[in-house]
């Protein structure tokens, strides 16, 4: 994928250095989430994810998507993060399409994603082929 003078390469791989992941999440404003996890917890998260797609500009991690799934019927994109310098240039859409294509290849029928609030969120996900559901979402935390 090429936008302007920056070339972005997508990879399907769980091999991401925890430090690179933390840097991306911090730059994206997600300081209370994965950016605070220990390296061990991040490695466990990566290894147990069903699918991980990353976006790279040379050796710099600029996008990340991870999926949890039963591998047969349902999948949930539990993280989709793009570095602020690469937003509105197609990186997020490319990550989502790659995720969708791979899950389709695996014959996973339903792909869900939870987005942040805001009118841009709905527009973004609909452009990427997702439809909004009028479901209630419930959360239990410990």
């Amino acid at each position: 994928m090429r936008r302007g003078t920056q070339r972005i390469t997508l990879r399907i791989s769980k091999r991401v250095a925890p430090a690179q992941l933390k840097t991306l999440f911090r730059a994206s404003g997600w300081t209370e989430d994965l950016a605070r996890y220990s390296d061990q917890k991040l490695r466990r998260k990566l290894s147990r994810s069903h699918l991980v797609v990353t976006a790279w500009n040379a050796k710099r991690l600029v996008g990340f998507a991870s999926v949890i799934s039963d591998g047969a019927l349902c999948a949930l994109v539990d993280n989709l993060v793009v570095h602020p310098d690469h937003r509105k240039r197609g990186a997020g859409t490319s990550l989502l399409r790659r995720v969708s294509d791979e899950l389709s290849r695996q014959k996973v029928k339903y792909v869900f994603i939870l987005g942040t609030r805001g009118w841009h969120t709905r527009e973004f996900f609909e452009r990427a082929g997702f439809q909004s559901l009028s479901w209630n979402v419930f959360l239990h935390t410990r």
Side-chain angles (χ1 to χ4, degrees):
M1 178 175 94
R2 188 180 291 269
R3 296 283 178 187
T5 60
Q6 298 179 335
R7 180 172 168 74
I8 303 296
T9 303
L10 298 180
R11 296 182 194 151
I12 295 176
S13 175
K14 297 178 183 183
R15 296 170 68 183
V16 181
Q20 290 176 305
L21 204 50
K22 288 178 184 183
T23 298
L24 173 62
F25 272 74
R26 283 187 188 114
S28 301
W30 290 37
T31 57
E32 298 300 319
D33 197 14
L34 292 182
R36 296 184 68 193
Y37 289 180
S38 69
D39 288 0
Q40 179 182 359
K41 193 169 189 175
L42 283 174
R43 283 191 288 273
R44 187 169 62 236
K45 189 260 183 296
L46 288 166
S47 71
R48 292 182 180 175
S49 292
H50 179 78
L51 174 66
V52 173
V53 180
T54 53
W56 299 85
N57 177 245
K59 293 183 179 184
R60 181 177 174 219
L61 180 66
V62 297
F64 174 82
S66 60
V67 177
I68 54 178
S69 177
D70 59 16
L73 183 64
C74 296
L76 170 68
V77 180
D78 63 326
N79 286 288
L80 175 65
V81 182
V82 174
H83 192 282
D85 293 347
H86 292 271
R87 291 183 185 156
K88 299 193 183 289
R89 297 179 180 186
T93 302
S94 293
L95 282 164
L96 271 182
R97 286 190 179 139
R98 188 69 169 273
V99 163
S100 294
D101 290 348
E102 181 61 22
L103 292 170
S104 178
R105 188 188 68 72
Q106 295 176 19
K107 308 229 185 300
V108 174
K109 186 170 183 170
Y110 300 107
V111 181
F112 299 91
I113 189 164
L114 300 175
T116 57
R117 296 180 193 264
W119 66 273
H120 290 295
T121 302
R122 182 182 190 134
E123 182 181 287
F124 169 76
F125 288 121
E126 287 177 350
R127 271 196 327 267
F130 287 77
Q131 61 183 341
S132 179
L133 301 176
S134 58
W135 290 0
N136 290 320
V137 176
F138 302 90
L139 173 67
H140 178 269
T141 60
R142 294 181 214 181

